[in-house]
Amino acid sequence: MTAAPGHPARTVLACGEVRTCLLPSHQALDTRAAAQLLRLRADEPVRVSERPSMYARSPEILTGVDCRLPASNGSKVRGVGTVAARAALTEGRVLQATAYFSLPATGPDVRRPWGQYLVRPGLVEPFGKLPQHATAEGVLRGARRGELDLGMIAEGLLAGLRRHALLDRRVPFKSSPTRLRWIARRESDGERASLVNFTVAEGGLRTMEIRLPEHIPAASAAGICEDLALHDWLLTTVQHMLDNSRLGTTDGPSVVDTLHPVVVHLLHLWMPRAHVDPALGHLWDVLEEKPGFSRQWENLSRRIRDRLALQAVATPHQALSDVR
């Protein structure tokens, strides 16, 4: 049985992809510039928060879709509706774009007028019965040709923002973007949200699966995934910079030059759950236990600060030796 036009359909699956990268600007943006960058729509404001960290989120924009849904078993189920997309900027430095949608268990056998899809933003209806397991696996695997591609929608939004006139396209250090694909399977409201799986693959790809009670909106699921993607990007970027610095094998100004951007631009950004729906904040507990995100971050931060402190102590002695 399908929902009547104009009424919300009961969804069984939510899917999304988050792209995270360094903002191409030599200087971090302040709140005013961040709001200007993320003003994707004239009829809705950018949400800006300065506590506990500076965070700006754009209003959502919709992309109409009419194509096959991703499916791991090769089934060709057509989906029609809208994909919601939004962007976020953390401390004026890290830029993210997210595309996501929800799916009901069944949809109509005929295509509705576009107006009926637009009144249910972020909902994509299948033609007939949804192959839930195959669709979830297909989203995590990545879209094939002709299938709904969330990554392409998120990347398109990200690319447009990176070309904004506000940005000088001069980065303070080199980094690589990351991609997080996620699915959320709906559970009854008596259940608690839970993290089922988080994986790290090659090429900056991560995947995540959660179970989500019916009353928690898909936008909140997107929020916890954005938060995880942000902190995973921070860990990955700082680890790479630390590896490239050859810490412990070289001395002198080169080490300071390599690690200085980490201290100036990144170390203060670590703040899990700061902008997450409280109903989902506990999902971080799993990641703190294993693999221990914050423990990894604290270890990296300590190594960097200790190395810079040793270099600061060694520099005056080296200068005195040069004089002698």
Side-chain angles (χ1 to χ4, degrees):
M1 181 177 179
T2 60
H7 290 74
R10 179 183 177 274
T11 61
V12 295
L13 188 67
C15 313
E17 183 160 337
V18 187
R19 300 287 176 105
T20 306
C21 69
L22 181 69
L23 185 75
S25 173
H26 189 69
Q27 297 294 331
L29 300 189
D30 59 20
T31 54
R32 183 176 179 180
Q36 186 178 347
L37 173 72
L38 300 182
R39 193 166 183 251
L40 302 183
R41 294 173 52 174
D43 60 335
E44 286 192 32
V46 175
R47 295 176 56 190
V48 179
S49 173
E50 295 186 359
R51 300 290 185 274
S53 61
M54 198 280 274
Y55 178 78
R57 179 184 289 170
S58 76
E60 292 186 344
I61 57 175
L62 301 179
T63 299
V65 296
D66 183 347
C67 57
R68 293 201 319 270
L69 296 172
S72 60
N73 62 0
S75 60
K76 297 181 180 180
V77 177
R78 179 181 171 191
V80 184
T82 59
V83 173
R86 68 192 189 193
L89 186 65
T90 300
E91 286 291 342
R93 179 54 70 194
V94 183
L95 181 63
Q96 295 180 287
T98 301
Y100 70 95
F101 66 95
S102 295
L103 286 159
T106 58
D109 294 325
V110 296
R111 195 181 186 283
R112 304 180 194 269
W114 264 118
Q116 294 182 18
Y117 295 108
L118 293 175
V119 298
R120 290 170 292 184
L123 182 72
V124 175
E125 290 183 333
F127 273 39
K129 187 177 180 180
L130 175 72
Q132 297 182 33
H133 183 71
T135 299
E137 287 191 340
V139 169
L140 296 180
R141 175 209 62 201
R144 291 174 177 165
R145 185 173 181 180
E147 295 179 340
L148 175 51
D149 192 338
L150 288 171
M152 184 173 66
I153 295 174
E155 186 61 33
L157 174 56
L158 201 63
L161 291 171
R162 288 188 293 209
R163 292 193 299 266
H164 199 284
L166 278 172
L167 308 179
D168 58 20
R169 285 169 282 282
R170 295 171 53 229
V171 294
F173 55 88
K174 293 181 179 180
S175 65
S176 299
T178 58
R179 301 167 289 152
L180 171 64
R181 294 180 188 144
W182 60 269
I183 61 165
R185 302 180 192 271
R186 288 295 187 178
E187 301 288 342
S188 65
D189 277 341
E191 301 293 329
R192 195 184 189 205
S194 60
L195 175 61
V196 178
N197 194 25
F198 174 74
T199 63
V200 177
E202 295 180 354
L205 175 64
R206 286 84 172 96
T207 61
M208 180 175 175
E209 180 180 349
I210 62 178
R211 299 193 183 278
L212 193 69
E214 291 179 354
H215 72 279
I216 298 179
S220 294
I224 185 69
C225 294
E226 288 164 344
D227 195 53
L228 172 59
L230 168 68
H231 290 84
D232 172 76
W233 182 88
L234 287 171
L235 265 177
T236 302
T237 301
V238 172
Q239 182 66 66
H240 286 172
M241 294 176 73
L242 198 58
D243 292 343
N244 291 337
S245 74
R246 295 190 298 167
L247 190 63
T249 63
T250 60
D251 293 309
S254 62
V255 174
V256 176
D257 291 343
T258 302
L259 297 181
H260 182 260
V262 178
V263 178
V264 173
H265 299 288
L266 299 182
L267 287 191
H268 63 290
L269 302 188
W270 192 263
M271 207 169 294
R273 310 177 226 222
H275 304 284
V276 169
D277 186 331
L280 298 177
H282 66 277
L283 297 184
W284 259 101
D285 295 342
V286 179
L287 296 169
E288 296 294 31
E289 181 177 344
K290 185 179 180 180
F293 269 37
S294 289
R295 290 197 304 273
Q296 294 179 44
W297 182 259
E298 290 165 4
N299 181 56
L300 290 175
S301 301
R302 189 179 305 113
R303 289 178 62 197
I304 291 169
R305 289 193 171 104
D306 288 350
R307 189 66 187 86
L308 291 177
L310 286 173
Q311 186 59 40
V313 171
T315 299
H317 292 283
Q318 183 62 47
L320 181 59
S321 175
D322 293 343
V323 171
R324 290 174 178 173

